[in-house]
Amino acid sequence: MSDPFRRGGLVARTARLAIPLVAAALGLAALNGALGAPEDEVKIAFIAYENPDQLLEDVKPVVAYLEQKMGRKLKYFVATDYAGVVEALRGGAADAAFMGPLQYVLARDQAGAEPVLGEVYAGKASYVSRIFVRKDSGITGPEGLRGKNIAFVDPISSSGYLYPLDIFKRAGLVPGKDEAERFFKKIYFAGGDEQAIRAVLNRFVDAAGVGQFAHNLLRPEERAEVVSIAESTPIPSHCLVVRKSLDPGLVAALCDALLALQDGPDKGLLENLYGVDGYVRVTHADYEGVEKLAREYGFLSGK
Amino acid sequence: MFRSRRGALLVLGGAAYLAISAYHVATTHAHVIPPEKLHRVAESYRRSSFVLNLNPILWDLVRKDCEPIAQALEKVDPVAAAAWREEVRSVIAGITAPPKEGEAAPGPNERKRAARAVFESSTRAVARILSWHLERTGKALPEIATAHTASREAGQIWAAFELEIRSTDPTAFRALGTRWLEMATALGSPGIARIGAVPVDVPAFRAAADAIAAYIAATYGPGYSAPERGALAPLPLRSPTFDPEASVPVRLPPGSDINKQVPRPRQILNLVARGVDESETALIAVGDMGFDSAFVFGEPARSLQISCNTCHNKSITNPIFVIPGLSARPGGMDVSNGFFASHANNGHFDPLDIPDLRGIRFTGPYGRNGRSASLRDFTRNVIVNEFNGPEPDPVLLDGMVAYQMEFDFLPNPALGADGRLSEKAPEAARRGETIFQRPFAGLAGRSCASCHVPSTHFLDRQSHDIGSGAGAEPHSRDGAFDTPTLLGIKHTPPYFHDGSQPTIRSVVEWFDRTATLGLSANERDDLTAYVETVGDGVDAREDTPYYLDSELEEFGFFLSAYEFLVGKGKPELMNVTFETIAGEIRNHMWELRDPQHQPVMEQMAGLMDEALAANRCGDRAAVDAKVAAWRNLYAENVDVLK
């Protein structure tokens, strides 16, 4: 999995996003002291993109806040494997989980999960991908990249592949994923947003398809050397999803508690929750674009 | 307009904290896609290499930075790691051991030999570690996720050598950069729960990984030697495409931070406080420009975009500023070190805390040891002999002095004009005032007020040795420091000439202990309250984390001196003005809250470039036109450029 929209809470400033999940460790790393009847507990999964032990520490005060606000006990775990979380949602071992847009779409497909809250970063519940080229390349639009090299981030990244490639599809240049190899001379997957945008800065490739914030990873004097020539449709942000048939009252209580953070005295806890600004209510409709793309790229069974 | 932006602002409060956290999110939304971490090995190697090129070398720092390299090497080859540790330990022990009776201390040649030995050995160690991580990537297959993690780690270690390869071996840099991309691509993808998985292309992976490994082994492997001349740096000397004429851009070591503190301290210029129209203060405008200009300094400060304002942010201090090897702690630096001005090194590590320049016209003499009665001489010395600048034009120097003469202390309602507490001062401070004026036997019958004279800005224009500095030898008489003012100090920790005291309370406790003042706990509290009250002031910080509009206004102020410089026949100072404004616009462009206005800022920077070019050709009419165009463009867009 590679989704660069994620920060890792208190290690946010150095957290790396675009790393694959380690398949082996489901990472049921620790449980809180759960009191009360098990069926009253709310079970939440947090996916760690790096350093599960750190995230485990980071979410403790958040859980304490939620317990107090909701008047219920919480059970939580940090996972490093997406598949395990989906299984947990399907089987009821997890009631809710934070995950990225593509992960949600797959969780819906495989376990009937529903999104309830979207994260807000820098005032927005979405962001975009961009195609960057060097300013001195003379390339002004996607069509100028025919027969050229491009670096994306990862084949399973929304902002680092699906959405940037969609820019070429919408421009009528690449009908589908398979035709991409005929349009470009060579496609690379750099493994990270910074690697991809530096590859274009350093002239290893002619273009990079990355999340918009990759540009800010360059030094100020470097930023002036690259320019964006196209932008994707908005990518909805990471979300809180809940399992099918979860009690609506419980869903409401959880959402209300999280929504109360951004304007209240406990706003600082948001730093522990992947460093978001706050949340907005979302529904599946907000993720239909992701679902459509995921289907086009063969991530979903056709329906 | 200029006045209002620099006028009285609200005290930092809850709203400001929220605004600041919003600002930090706004700037760190860049980290929503976070930067690649510098690997511990690369970080330690780059930092220790930087320190090994200094004089003096902080061998403790080098020793500390060798540890992560040794630990990484242990995973590769424990026997080699043990031998490497012993080699480094032995070299450092040899160079740092006190000389035996009758023997001279190690001189420059011994120091350089030791530095070279550690550097070469570290370079070979890092090369070996990098190669091992490349091998490990291959060995992780067919576990794609694990291989990606290993490959990523290898890429982070590669950063140890990347700058030098990019600068001096661009052919290899481009080829190897492509190999790294090929390697990452060839590793495929584990998919999400195996959906979307892409298999490994093993031959492509091998070809790319082997090519990188071959370059590392050939260039930095066994037999590697550092350059004979110049700095110790991992130049790829053995690469067939190495360009010996190419230079490597200067970089500060990992752990450096020359950013400015947020929120910004509030600068008070006397002329602004009096409501003067700055468009009629050309000399001060020249000085403001010079104070904020990296072009007043020489290399390497100029390339690093360091100006007076970097350390004396808004004429105050910068508690964030730190450069490992040159700073003992954040907020200061050894300015008599050869890094910034190789000719003016005094050869020993004597870092100084950055002093607050508020009220500087009242706080002479200048320099932590009070060496210079003249602010003009002092400023010139900083430019030429601390930061390697060219001899400053007399008009520039006059301007910088005139500008500094406008720096004011914070207003303090708790103090009267004679330095005594007013009725607004809290009770504890009043009790503290009495203690401050009490003679102590431990101070040879003097009081705190004897040196920190309340009626003369809490200083006495003398240098005293209070025992806060280590002497050159026993019974040295070289530890006297100029009595600093206490005005404004609540907002400018740390304290003492070297910043060794973190709080005002710790200073009080230091004096109580060192001079055996015999204060009770309550008295220490009261004395602390007094000094904090004296050191306080109204609106010490600006209440907004957004400064772009204020910065642009300042650039307009810089440009307001243009006609004056024409009249004085100072084309070189016009050049400095244009270059400074262009550079600063480009630095600040990324702070625009609405990036759709970036093209306007690029245009403004471009107009300054054109003014510079025209000025160099002596085309006065063209320069006049560019300056007018800049002013018009700014005026048309002033409401959106924030």
Side-chain angles (χ1 to χ4, degrees):
Chain A
M1 196 287 302
S2 164
D3 187 330
F5 195 57
R6 175 62 73 199
R7 291 199 287 165
L10 290 175
V11 294
R13 283 171 183 76
T14 54
R16 290 188 290 116
L17 291 179
I19 56 167
L21 292 176
V22 175
L26 176 60
L28 285 162
L31 304 173
N32 62 337
L35 302 172
E39 59 270 19
D40 290 338
E41 284 173 349
V42 182
K43 301 176 281 285
I44 303 186
F46 298 89
I47 296 184
Y49 298 89
E50 183 183 77
N51 202 344
D53 293 332
Q54 181 67 55
L55 188 58
L56 206 59
E57 283 306 306
D58 288 352
V59 300
K60 269 189 191 148
V62 177
V63 168
Y65 162 82
L66 289 172
E67 283 182 333
Q68 186 261 320
K69 203 85 173 156
M70 294 170 67
R72 285 174 177 273
K73 281 297 164 191
L74 254 66
K75 186 164 150 178
Y76 66 97
F77 60 92
V78 165
T80 51
D81 177 45
Y82 162 78
V85 171
V86 170
E87 263 318 300
L89 283 169
R90 201 205 324 263
D95 297 312
F98 291 88
M99 56 180 61
L102 185 57
Q103 295 167 316
Y104 152 63
V105 156
L106 294 175
R108 181 186 176 82
D109 188 52
Q110 295 175 14
E114 286 288 335
V116 289
L117 292 179
E119 291 178 354
V120 176
Y121 274 120
K124 286 190 174 172
S126 68
Y127 65 123
V128 294
S129 291
R130 295 199 167 119
I131 307 297
F132 288 96
V133 300
R134 282 191 60 90
K135 221 174 254 183
D136 56 14
S137 67
I139 298 169
T140 55
E143 60 285 347
L145 289 169
R146 185 184 297 279
K148 305 274 189 204
N149 298 335
I150 189 164
F152 297 108
V153 175
D154 188 294
I156 47 167
S157 167
S158 4
S159 63
Y161 182 52
L162 274 63
Y163 276 84
L165 190 59
D166 191 54
I167 292 171
F168 293 90
K169 178 157 183 285
R170 285 171 181 267
L173 300 167
V174 174
K177 186 174 68 149
D178 299 325
E179 284 81 9
E181 302 208 347
R182 283 198 284 277
F183 177 81
F184 298 107
K185 182 177 172 192
K186 179 94 177 125
I187 295 175
Y188 293 103
F189 292 100
D193 286 78
E194 185 166 350
Q195 286 94 325
I197 200 161
R198 285 197 174 279
V200 77
L201 175 77
N202 290 322
R203 303 176 202 272
F204 304 153
V205 292
D206 301 293
V210 289
Q212 68 183 88
F213 302 126
H215 191 236
N216 292 345
L217 299 180
L218 301 177
R219 294 165 180 261
E221 65 272 16
E222 293 171 332
R223 286 175 211 163
E225 294 184 48
V226 298
V227 67
S228 166
I229 57 169
E231 189 172 289
S232 72
T233 52
I235 310 168
S237 56
H238 280 226
C239 50
L240 175 69
V241 312
V242 295
R243 64 175 170 83
K244 210 155 77 162
S245 320
L246 188 63
D247 172 52
L250 197 152
V251 174
L254 181 57
C255 288
D256 288 346
L258 287 169
L259 282 165
L261 279 172
Q262 59 226 34
D263 296 315
D266 296 298
K267 188 182 164 111
L269 288 176
L270 291 173
E271 192 60 38
N272 298 41
L273 276 170
Y274 307 106
V276 303
D277 291 356
Y279 298 97
V280 290
R281 295 191 194 273
V282 294
T283 64
H284 178 70
D286 297 300
Y287 293 83
E288 279 174 353
V290 186
E291 185 181 48
K292 181 164 172 288
L293 266 187
R295 189 163 291 120
E296 283 171 17
Y297 283 82
F299 283 91
L300 298 175
S301 42
K303 324 194 245 263
Chain B
M1 183 167 67
F2 190 49
R3 281 198 295 284
S4 67
R5 289 208 166 85
R6 285 192 176 185
L9 295 165
L10 294 172
V11 172
L12 188 69
Y17 275 117
L18 284 178
I20 287 146
S21 24
Y23 171 69
H24 277 295
V25 170
T27 52
T28 58
H29 78 270
H31 303 282
V32 167
I33 291 177
E36 282 298 306
K37 274 194 307 197
L38 196 56
H39 195 279
R40 298 170 69 212
V41 167
E43 179 187 339
S44 292
Y45 174 74
R46 299 292 316 174
R47 187 164 48 231
S48 61
S49 302
F50 177 85
V51 173
L52 287 168
N53 281 301
L54 297 175
N55 173 25
I57 295 173
L58 300 186
W59 287 105
D60 276 345
L61 263 190
V62 175
R63 191 183 289 122
K64 204 165 135 197
D65 269 326
C66 282
E67 189 49 35
I69 299 174
Q71 285 174 7
L73 194 55
E74 259 165 15
K75 291 187 197 162
V76 178
D77 182 342
V79 171
W84 185 79
R85 270 186 208 273
E86 179 49 32
E87 182 192 347
V88 168
R89 187 210 64 77
S90 161
V91 169
I92 296 180
I95 196 68
T96 53
K100 293 197 182 79
E101 189 76 33
E103 277 184 8
N109 289 338
E110 287 83 0
R111 185 189 80 241
K112 288 176 187 172
R113 262 200 297 277
R116 190 189 176 83
V118 174
F119 173 76
E120 284 178 347
S121 167
S122 301
T123 305
R124 289 191 291 267
V126 171
R128 181 122 188 242
I129 294 164
L130 173 52
S131 301
W132 183 83
H133 276 82
L134 282 168
E135 283 168 32
R136 195 163 141 256
T137 305
K139 286 184 182 156
L141 296 172
E143 286 296 319
I144 294 178
T146 312
H148 266 294
T149 305
S151 161
R152 198 179 192 84
E153 192 168 358
Q156 290 168 344
I157 300 170
W158 165 255
F161 304 135
E162 203 175 5
L163 177 67
E164 280 74 18
I165 298 172
R166 180 168 73 234
S167 309
T168 64
D169 194 358
T171 307
F173 180 67
R174 190 158 176 175
L176 292 165
T178 309
R179 300 292 91 76
W180 280 104
L181 281 174
E182 287 166 357
M183 201 171 88
T185 306
L187 286 177
S189 173
I192 303 181
R194 273 167 284 286
I195 293 170
V198 176
V200 184
D201 179 348
V202 174
F205 164 76
R206 288 262 164 257
D210 288 350
I212 298 169
Y215 182 89
I216 298 296
T219 311
Y220 300 114
Y224 167 78
S225 290
E228 285 298 327
R229 276 189 294 277
L232 296 170
L235 299 177
L237 300 168
R238 300 194 285 188
S239 167
T241 42
F242 168 67
D243 177 3
E245 302 302 315
S247 59
V248 182
V250 70
R251 279 278 165 83
L252 290 176
S256 299
D257 194 343
I258 61 171
N259 289 306
K260 302 186 184 74
Q261 68 273 44
V262 175
R264 229 166 48 161
R266 178 169 78 107
Q267 179 186 45
I268 302 175
L269 296 180
N270 193 262
L271 65 111
V272 174
R274 289 180 184 278
V276 171
D277 188 330
E278 297 85 2
S279 66
E280 299 185 311
T281 57
L283 189 62
I284 293 172
V286 170
D288 189 352
M289 183 278 297
F291 195 87
D292 286 13
S293 174
F295 297 94
V296 162
F297 292 158
E299 296 298 346
R302 185 182 290 195
S303 290
L304 293 169
Q305 292 283 289
I306 287 174
S307 66
C308 305
N309 198 51
T310 306
C311 295
H312 300 284
N313 186 19
K314 304 311 294 175
S315 75
I316 296 118
T317 58
N318 184 348
I320 294 178
F321 184 97
V322 66
I323 301 176
L326 296 176
S327 304
R329 57 186 60 79
M333 176 169 77
D334 180 356
V335 287
S336 51
N337 185 288
F339 175 72
F340 283 111
S342 58
H343 63 281
N345 190 2
N346 71 359
H348 60 105
F349 185 59
D350 51 348
L352 297 174
D353 182 55
I354 302 166
D356 177 3
L357 306 185
R358 283 186 171 124
I360 196 169
R361 62 191 179 286
F362 301 121
T363 64
Y366 305 103
R368 283 288 185 188
N369 54 8
R371 59 189 176 275
S372 184
S374 156
L375 184 58
R376 195 174 197 281
D377 283 350
F378 185 82
T379 303
R380 182 238 165 227
N381 187 66
V382 169
I383 292 171
V384 176
N385 295 319
E386 288 183 5
F387 291 98
N388 207 31
E391 196 64 48
D393 187 285
V395 169
L396 175 66
L397 207 45
D398 284 344
M400 290 177 77
V401 171
Y403 177 61
Q404 291 179 81
M405 288 284 139
E406 296 294 318
F407 297 168
D408 266 347
F409 293 117
L410 292 169
N412 188 347
L415 283 179
D418 61 356
R420 285 190 293 184
L421 292 181
S422 73
E423 69 278 2
K424 294 199 169 68
E427 199 47 47
R430 288 181 192 296
R431 293 193 297 268
E433 186 175 34
T434 311
I435 300 166
F436 193 80
Q437 288 165 350
R438 184 194 305 166
F440 288 100
L443 295 177
R446 288 173 298 188
S447 65
C448 307
S450 302
C451 299
H452 293 289
V453 182
S455 60
T456 58
H457 312 288
F458 291 85
L459 53 86
D460 63 353
R461 301 185 185 271
Q462 305 283 327
S463 299
H464 302 284
D465 186 344
I466 61 169
S468 60
E473 57 186 358
H475 312 297
S476 280
R477 301 198 68 80
D478 64 347
F481 293 103
D482 181 50
T483 308
T485 183
L486 301 183
L487 295 171
I489 67 165
K490 185 176 173 195
H491 304 287
T492 60
Y495 306 104
F496 281 12
H497 68 284
D498 56 358
S500 54
Q501 293 301 322
T503 62
I504 290 173
R505 179 174 294 278
S506 72
V507 171
V508 165
E509 288 167 358
W510 186 90
F511 275 102
D512 187 30
R513 201 169 52 242
T514 317
T516 325
L517 301 182
L519 299 175
S520 68
N522 285 344
E523 285 177 320
R524 285 196 294 274
D525 286 347
D526 290 341
L527 188 52
T528 302
Y530 170 74
V531 177
E532 285 177 352
T533 302
V534 167
D536 205 345
V538 173
D539 305 332
R541 291 185 187 87
E542 297 185 19
D543 74 342
T544 172
Y546 300 110
Y547 307 121
L548 182 60
D549 53 349
S550 159
E551 294 280 350
L552 286 169
E553 196 174 4
E554 199 170 358
F555 305 157
F557 181 46
F558 297 169
L559 204 56
S560 73
Y562 171 67
E563 286 77 11
F564 163 69
L565 293 175
V566 171
K568 279 281 188 184
K570 295 285 177 184
E572 268 308 311
L573 289 186
M574 289 178 230
N575 289 343
V576 174
T577 304
F578 301 145
E579 275 181 307
T580 300
I581 296 173
E584 285 297 283
I585 288 176
R586 292 192 169 103
N587 282 341
H588 288 282
M589 189 156 65
W590 313 102
E591 295 163 21
L592 267 172
R593 276 177 275 177
D594 187 349
Q596 68 163 319
H597 303 297
Q598 267 173 18
V600 174
M601 290 195 65
E602 277 176 11
Q603 212 181 331
M604 288 169 73
L607 282 168
M608 286 291 98
D609 292 339
E610 289 163 20
L612 177 67
N615 202 42
R616 283 183 172 146
C617 295
D619 186 346
R620 180 62 43 226
V623 184
D624 286 349
K626 298 299 173 190
V627 169
W630 192 96
R631 287 170 174 160
N632 288 339
L633 190 59
Y634 174 50
E636 282 163 13
N637 290 279
V638 64
D639 290 331
V640 298
L641 295 176
K642 48 185 146 191

